[in-house]
Every structure is written in structure tokens, then in C-alpha cells.
Amino acid sequence: MKLRSFLNACLGFAAFVGLWQLATHGNKVGDLPSPWMTARGLGQVAAQGVLWQNIIASVFRVAWGFSLAAAIGIPLGIALGWYPRLRDVVNPLVQSLRPISPIAWLPFAVIMFGGTALSSDLSAIFLLFLSAFFPIVTASTSATASIDQKYIRSARNFGVEGFDLFRRVVLPAALPQVLTGLRLALGIAWVVVVAAEMLGVETGLGYQVMDSRNALRMDHVAAAMVVIAAIGLLLDTGMARVESTILARRGVRRG
Amino acid sequence: MTELGSDTRTKIAIREVCKTFETKKGRVVVLDQVDLDVRSGEFLAIVGPSGCGKSTLLNCMAGFEPITSGSIRIDGVEVDAPSRKRVFVFQEPGILPWFSVWDNIGFGLGKMPFEQKHEIVMRYIRLVGLDGFEKSFPSELSGGMKQRVEFARALAVQPDVLYLDEPFGALDALTRLEMRAEILRIWGETRKTCILVTHDVEEAVELADRVAVMTPRPATVHSVLDNDLPRPRSADQREFRALKDRVFEILGVRRG
Ligand SMILES: Nc1ncnc2c1ncn2[C@@H]1O[C@H](COP(=O)(O)OP(=O)(O)OP(=O)(O)O)[C@@H](O)[C@H]1O
Ligand SMILES: [Mg+2]
């Protein structure tokens, strides 16, 4: 079954590459690159060594933005889910800010962090923080608000209260949905990092895309896109793995 | 019969209890002047039409819901909050899916040395016949086994009173019969005061010392029927059928 799905995936990729080859047959550097030109471009950027620096730069920014978003978003979301009064006050605000694309914050980010030593890094991290923050808060809020009242009631019945209630009931009950939110947020942050790096920074995969475009090396642009896809996939698989390990240890199988 | 064998001290005294809910559509009177005495150590069943307020009454007795007027006293003390002295057993087991059977049964025990906790947990695992499953997670258990864990968890804190709100409702017919026998055995061994809410009149007559029949909403207790039939009881017995018919009659159900 595993092999079967792998072969099926290969079939999809092969069909895509075939169509791509047909559409770009005979193109030169500067036109839309063909699969072969992309592969060769990938070899070239990998050999140059800047690719690795750019990967590290992008991953580093995402890691910071995402971690900060989780560190603030999870506790805030749980608090909003737990206290209906607080939710009534704060949630409409959160939900109104959420649809704003993080990229729209860029001008403000530049003003806020401009002039500091790491100004461009900080603005990129700020955008990534925003992009990850809203899905995390939203998931944590609804995870906590939708905890089965039966669990809370029986905890009260058995005199389990305060921090003990939080640690043994609220957190584990909310965990599956919080983890799903984290995974979603990481995916969004990875999408946003490329856009964020197209302005104002001089490292990262987004920068590499813009830089290659300015050099009219479309094959390098496509090569960077392949790398972005591969790392995105890796991050998502990693998160899925973390998710299922944590949940399996708790005996909660996801159906 | 009851006066001779068992202790007839009043455990729970329910006096003129009214309960109304304020909803968007206005106020709903659910309980209207409920009077009921529950004797210490007895097995009392409460039956009544669907939606009449049986769960509400039980919730009030457990301290989950405040009453609007009247009084509920347990051992002479007004009920105002949930307590480990009286434990609620839910229809869909409320055991925690992220804890093993062992952790679930130890859930209500509070802080105590591991050895002591282990001894208590294992005692109740044996009582409900789940030896060997202490490390299993609820997702690995059948519905009946989960219900057993729920019983063990409730009993482990040594409550005086068990509130059972259709505890077998989520189980299949066969497991339900098995669990009825099981709860009787456990009750026989522990002699807790048990209050069982059920839809199933036959279940009520099979298990209970007394059956309280409630009226439709706004509900009150219509009558309390004594059930002195010796256990184990069988639905084939004439007296069993007679009592069942009596309950149905009060409920206003004509049976052919
Ligand atoms: N929290 C609440 N807010 C408003 N109305 C409620 C609330 N809880 C119960 N009710 C109403 O009180 C009435 C009695 O409900 P309850 O659950 O006690 O009935 P029940 O006898 O247990 O019913 P069933 O046999 O179906 O379990 C119902 O009409 C219900 O709509
Ligand atoms: Mg009910």
C-alpha cells in the first residue's frame, strides 16, 4: 500500500514534468525554464553555496516567527477559550485582524524596526509572527472552548481544580486541535517567508528568487521554487510526525 | 421488609425543590415542588417521561446546578457544590482518553504516595474485573469496559452516594444486561447509596429497592413504589411484571 501510493505520486510528478517539458521545449535562459534547465540551475546554485545560506536564513526567520507566535498564541488562545467574557471582548478583534495579509504590515514593520541593527530580519520575523499567530490563536481558542463539558464536570466532581485541572484536563483535551493549528501555521509561515524576503532583505529563498529574476536567470528562479517546495514538504511532514507521536503517546488515535 | 434489613435513615432529603432555567425563549420551569427522600444505602431508581427533568434533578443533587428554591440536604447539610463524597457516573463515559486505565481510576484520588495510590487503584481495577488492563488506554477498550473504568474511578474515591444518569444508555443490549448484573454486584459489595436515572422501566424494577416515578414537565415526583422482590430478579416473575405495569400505568402508557 505504501509502495502503491508512492508510485501513484511518481505518476503525477512524471505527468507534470512531461507537460512542463512540452510547454517549454526549446526555451532559452530568460524564457520560461524547462525541467532540464531547472535541474541544471539547481545544480549550479547548490554548487555556489549561497543556496545553503539562503535556506538557513529562511528557516531561521520562520523558526523565530513561528516560535514567538506559538509562545504567545497558545496561552492567549487557551485563555480566550476558557473565559467566555474575555473571548467576547478580544475575539472579534482577533478575527478582524486575521484576514489582513501579513505582507500588508510590511510598511509598518519597516517603520517599527527600521534603524535597528537587524532591522530587515526583525521586520521579516514580525511578518512571520503575524502569519503564524492568527491560526494558532484561533485553533487554541476553539480547542479550549469546545472541550467536552463532561470532562470539566467530572474534574470538578473529583475536586481537581486550578493548575491541576489545566495540566491534566484542559491542556490534553485541547492538544490535538492546537497541534493541528500549529501545523497549519507553520505551512502559512513558510508560504509568507518567501514573499517577506522579496523586500528589504538580502538573504533567504525569497531574496534568491528576486535576485535571480533581476539577473534574468529564470532557471535559477525555478530552482529556488523547487527548493521552497521541498523544504515546505519537509516541514509539514515533520510537524505531522511530531503531531502523531505526541498524540499516540497519549493513546488518542486520530481516526 | 426494608425497615427490617437495611438502614432506613434518610441520606438525602429533597424538599419543595423548584428549578427554572432562563432561556432566550423565556423561563422554563423544569422541576416544580419536588419532594423525595433517599435512604442511606438504598438503590433508588428515578423514571419519568423524556425531557421531564430527571437529569436536572440529579445535577442539582450533585451540586452541578443551583436550585431555584427549596432545599436539598445530604446528611443534613445543604448541597451547594460538587464533592467527592457524591460522584456522578455519566452516560457516555467521562473517563479521560489521554490517560491510561490506571491514571483514570487514580484521577480523583488527589496527592498521595505512589504505593498507596497503586494499592487503591489495583483494588478497584479488580473490583470491576479489569485486571491486566491497567496500562490500556480508553481507545483500546469496549464500551462496557469504559463504563467499568468509570465505575471504578467513581468508587475509588469512596463516595457515599453514586449518581447514575442512564449509565448504560450508550451500551448495546447485551452489554447493558451484563452491566446491570455488575452494578448490582458492586452495590452489594459496597452498599453505596445509588440513585439511578433511567428510561428503561424494566431496568429500574430489576435493580432498585424503590422506584420514583416523575410526571411530565414541570416535573414533580408522582409516587415512589417499594420493590421488595428478592434478588436476583427475573422479568418473568408475576410480581415483577405487576410492578412494571404499575409504573407504566403511572407514566400513562397503555400496554397491550
Ligand atoms: N442548561 C439548560 N438550560 C435551559 N434548559 C435546560 C437546561 N438543561 C435542561 N434544560 C431543559 O430542562 C428540561 C429537562 O431536561 P433534562 O435533561 O433534565 O431531562 P431528562 O428528564 O433528563 O430527559 P432525558 O430523559 O431525555 O434525558 C428539558 O426541557 C431541557 O430542555
Ligand atoms: Mg437525561
Side-chain angles (χ1 to χ4, degrees):
Chain A
M1 227 38 223
K2 265 252 157 84
L3 182 70
R4 177 78 151 272
S5 60
F6 176 73
L7 290 177
N8 280 335
C10 288
L11 193 68
F13 277 106
F16 173 71
V17 171
L19 286 174
W20 179 8
Q21 178 64 45
L22 281 179
T24 54
H25 185 71
N27 283 6
K28 300 182 293 294
V29 175
D31 299 333
L32 277 184
S34 69
W36 163 244
M37 289 156 68
T38 302
R40 201 184 45 194
L42 193 58
Q44 288 164 358
V45 291
Q48 282 166 7
V50 286
L51 176 66
W52 307 109
Q53 286 167 24
N54 286 335
I55 291 175
I56 289 167
S58 293
V59 170
F60 165 84
R61 290 180 184 122
V62 166
W64 268 106
F66 175 77
S67 308
L68 286 173
I72 299 175
I74 295 175
L76 178 64
I78 290 177
L80 292 184
W82 189 252
Y83 300 106
R85 281 281 294 133
L86 189 64
R87 178 161 71 244
D88 290 346
V89 174
V90 178
N91 208 39
L93 175 69
V94 170
Q95 296 311 320
S96 319
L97 293 176
R98 189 162 75 114
I100 303 171
S101 166
I103 304 299
W105 289 89
L106 189 68
F108 293 156
V110 171
I111 297 176
M112 278 191 286
F113 300 108
T116 56
L118 293 162
S119 87
S120 53
D121 259 334
L122 285 179
S123 1
I125 289 170
F126 177 66
L127 296 197
L128 294 168
F129 166 80
L130 285 176
S131 70
F133 178 72
F134 290 106
I136 293 175
V137 173
T138 306
S140 308
T141 304
S142 87
T144 310
S146 64
I147 293 176
D148 197 333
Q149 280 306 303
K150 205 170 53 187
Y151 298 146
I152 309 292
R153 275 183 163 210
S154 56
R156 277 176 63 204
N157 200 165
F158 287 110
V160 175
E161 293 170 318
F163 183 69
D164 221 22
L165 176 68
F166 176 74
R167 186 175 61 85
R168 295 167 77 193
V169 181
V170 177
L171 202 59
L175 194 69
Q177 223 181 317
V178 170
L179 287 173
T180 308
L182 286 177
R183 187 174 162 194
L184 185 75
L186 187 61
I188 294 176
W190 187 247
V191 169
V192 169
V193 73
V194 174
E197 286 170 346
M198 287 186 174
L199 294 156
V201 292
E202 302 206 329
T203 50
L205 291 165
Y207 169 74
Q208 176 148 359
V209 169
M210 283 320 271
D211 190 47
S212 308
R213 189 205 73 147
N214 292 338
L216 297 177
R217 289 301 301 264
M218 294 306 162
D219 53 340
H220 289 183
V221 171
M225 287 167 72
V226 171
V227 174
I228 289 163
I231 293 174
L233 210 60
L234 213 67
L235 289 177
D236 191 59
T237 323
M239 271 308 280
R241 177 90 33 107
V242 169
E243 207 179 328
S244 64
T245 340
I246 292 179
L247 294 184
R249 202 178 298 147
R250 282 159 195 269
V252 188
R253 303 239 159 60
R254 313 236 305 152
Chain B
M1 292 296 279
T2 9
E3 294 84 350
L4 289 176
S6 58
D7 189 352
T8 55
R9 271 184 310 131
T10 297
K11 181 74 185 172
I12 310 177
I14 302 172
R15 293 285 175 273
E16 295 172 1
V17 164
C18 297
K19 173 70 185 174
T20 57
F21 286 107
E22 304 295 337
T23 65
K24 289 192 196 87
K25 289 193 201 124
R27 99 176 350 180
V28 188
V29 181
V30 177
L31 301 177
D32 185 23
Q33 302 282 342
V34 174
D35 281 293
L36 184 64
D37 274 336
V38 184
R39 297 171 189 160
S40 189
E42 82 168 328
F43 201 127
L44 176 81
I46 301 176
V47 298
S50 183
C52 73
K54 304 182 293 292
S55 300
T56 305
L57 179 59
L58 217 52
N59 278 324
C60 293
M61 290 163 88
F64 286 131
E65 288 278 1
I67 51 178
T68 311
S69 66
S71 85
I72 300 179
R73 289 165 181 270
I74 299 183
D75 294 329
V77 181
E78 196 71 33
V79 173
D80 56 0
S83 149
R84 266 192 266 194
K85 288 269 125 221
R86 32 180 200 273
V87 176
F88 212 100
V89 173
F90 295 88
Q91 172 176 354
E92 297 274 336
I95 56 171
L96 304 167
W98 48 86
F99 282 155
S100 66
V101 168
W102 195 99
D103 282 320
N104 264 297
I105 296 176
F107 181 70
L109 289 177
K111 290 204 189 338
M112 59 170 70
F114 175 83
E115 307 298 326
Q116 195 187 347
K117 195 170 193 169
H118 187 65
E119 194 198 307
I120 297 174
V121 169
M122 292 315 286
R123 185 181 337 140
Y124 287 95
I125 284 183
R126 275 192 297 277
L127 178 70
V128 298
L130 284 175
D131 317 55
F133 287 97
E134 51 271 20
K135 293 209 179 74
S136 303
F137 281 93
S139 56
E140 299 160 336
L141 304 179
S142 71
M145 290 160 93
K146 278 187 228 173
Q147 199 56 264
R148 284 167 196 261
V149 177
E150 173 106 16
F151 279 125
R153 177 177 77 163
L155 293 166
V157 297
Q158 307 213 322
D160 298 340
V161 182
L162 280 184
Y163 298 114
L164 312 168
D165 191 359
E166 299 185 43
F168 315 127
L171 304 176
D172 62 273
L174 213 61
T175 314
R176 199 145 68 204
L177 288 180
E178 201 180 294
M179 290 304 294
R180 276 190 208 169
E182 190 71 13
I183 187 75
L184 263 189
R185 180 181 66 76
I186 293 171
W187 176 72
E189 283 179 32
T190 56
R191 289 288 156 171
K192 306 289 179 198
T193 306
C194 283
I195 300 147
L196 168 79
V197 162
T198 179
H199 272 125
D200 189 335
V201 174
E202 187 176 303
E203 187 171 285
V205 174
E206 184 187 327
L207 298 179
D209 293 322
R210 296 190 305 148
V211 181
V213 187
M214 295 181 76
T215 64
R217 192 161 55 88
T220 186
V221 174
H222 180 284
S223 41
V224 182
L225 306 176
D226 284 313
N227 183 2
D228 297 333
L229 293 173
R231 296 183 173 92
R233 297 165 180 162
S234 151
D236 303 330
Q237 289 167 298
R238 202 165 48 80
E239 297 91 333
F240 192 107
R241 281 205 307 272
L243 188 57
K244 230 170 80 175
D245 286 344
R246 178 94 188 87
V247 174
F248 276 118
E249 201 181 302
I250 298 170
L251 288 172
V253 183
R254 281 257 163 268
R255 301 171 82 235

